[in-house]
Structures are given as structure tokens and as C-alpha cells.
Amino acid sequence: MKRSDMVLYGAEQLILSENAIEQALADTAGLASSLSRMRVDSRLSAVIGQDALCEVAEAITALTRARGAMVRAHGHLDAVKKQIGCGAVATGGGYQKPPGDGIVWEGAPGEDVAA
């Protein structure tokens, strides 16, 4: 397999993974919202379903951490692309990135990030 083909295939897989995590995060946040809305609309005590809502909130935190890991992996893979001589191969997939290298280097939620 040619290196440029490797880069394109890897970029496709990366974007699929990023989008899957993002969709799971959006869907899980929607679940949390729906659970709260249904409880209030049904005039049930906040005690009802609290344990389930806590588990959903933990899933949201885990998905947010997974999203951050994929962002960091994306940056590392961009460096690999350049290391193998394919820095000029366009793999953006049409997504708008911030200025600079396109990667915002932040820690996972709850982690201190050096300034």
C-alpha cells in the first residue's frame, strides 16, 4: 500500500471514529435531558431515577474523555503523516479547524493543563 493511500485510509477511519464518539456523546446527553424532562413532566420525585441519571452522567464523562483522546490521537497522527513524507496529502474531510496546527491541546476533563 502506498503511503499516501495509508494516510487517506487512516484519515477516513479516524473521522469515522471521531464522529461515532461525537454521535454517542450527543445521544447520551439527549438521554440525560429526556430522563430529566420526563421526570419533571410526570411530577415524580427527584429521588426516582437518580441512580440511573448518575450512571448516564458518568457515561457522558467517559465519552467526553474518549473524545479528548481522539483529538490528541488526531494530532499525533498528523505528526506521523509528516514523518512518513505525506504532509502535503489533504485529509481534512471538509471540517473546519482552528488556526495553527488544527489541534487544541487540552487535557482530559479534571486534569491540570500546563500553561
Side-chain angles (χ1 to χ4, degrees), residues 38-75:
M38 288 185 294
R39 187 203 58 80
V40 169
D41 290 350
S42 297
R43 301 180 53 87
L44 296 171
S45 166
V47 173
I48 304 296
Q50 178 60 30
D51 291 341
L53 189 59
C54 282
E55 295 298 329
V56 172
E58 283 189 37
I60 291 170
T61 298
L63 287 164
T64 302
R65 288 180 188 275
R67 184 184 188 277
M70 290 306 297
V71 167
R72 291 186 299 278
H74 192 137

Side-chain angles (χ1 to χ4, degrees), residues 64-85:
T64 302
R65 288 180 188 275
R67 184 184 188 277
M70 290 306 297
V71 167
R72 291 186 299 278
H74 192 137
H76 295 303
L77 289 169
D78 191 53
V80 168
K81 179 175 85 166
K82 292 171 185 154
Q83 289 170 353
I84 64 172

